[in-house]
Structures are given as structure tokens and as C-alpha cells.
Amino acid sequence: MDEGVLVKTGPDVLVSVRRAISGTDLGHLHDMVKQEFLTLDENEQSVRLVTAKLETGFLRRFATLQHE
């Protein structure tokens, strides 16, 4: 489970989550969660790379405006 809300009212427990992986085999669940985190890390690295390129381009253009 990535994040969510747990509500307990008397004997009832309700769970609402955005993303969850369910199953009974802990080894399989561990592998699935590990793969999910690796995928998230790859996506985060891609976003950081694109952001860095955008920032660099902006700074270059800004520097040329300063010299004009």
C-alpha cells in the first residue's frame, strides 16, 4: 500500500488506498513491491533529468537576455 486512510468504527475496519498490491504469498508480494519501487525510481530519475534540462535551457536564455 502506498498511502491511504484507515477508519475503525466499532468492530468495522475500512481501508481506502490509492495503490495497493494484494496477495497471500509474502515472497511474491516482496518481489512485486521491490519492482514497483524500482520503476518509481526510474521515473523519478527521468523527471529529474528533464527538469535539469529545462532549468539549464532557461538559465542560458536568461543569461543571453542579460547581455543584450
Side-chain angles (χ1 to χ4, degrees), residues 51-66:
T51 303
K53 287 181 180 180
L54 286 170
E55 289 173 350
T56 302
F58 173 77
L59 291 174
R60 282 187 189 140
R61 288 185 197 101
F62 189 72
T64 59
L65 290 175
Q66 295 265 333

Side-chain angles (χ1 to χ4, degrees), residues 12-55:
D12 298 326
V13 177
L14 303 173
V15 179
S16 177
V17 297
R18 184 178 297 219
R19 293 183 318 167
I21 300 173
S22 65
T24 57
D25 180 1
L26 292 180
H28 181 67
L29 288 172
H30 175 74
D31 293 341
M32 290 176 65
V33 169
K34 185 176 179 179
Q35 184 58 45
E36 183 68 23
F37 276 107
L38 290 174
T39 301
L40 288 173
D41 285 345
E42 290 172 2
N43 291 342
E44 187 174 315
Q45 287 176 0
S46 296
V47 168
R48 286 183 182 176
L49 179 62
V50 169
T51 303
K53 287 181 180 180
L54 286 170
E55 289 173 350

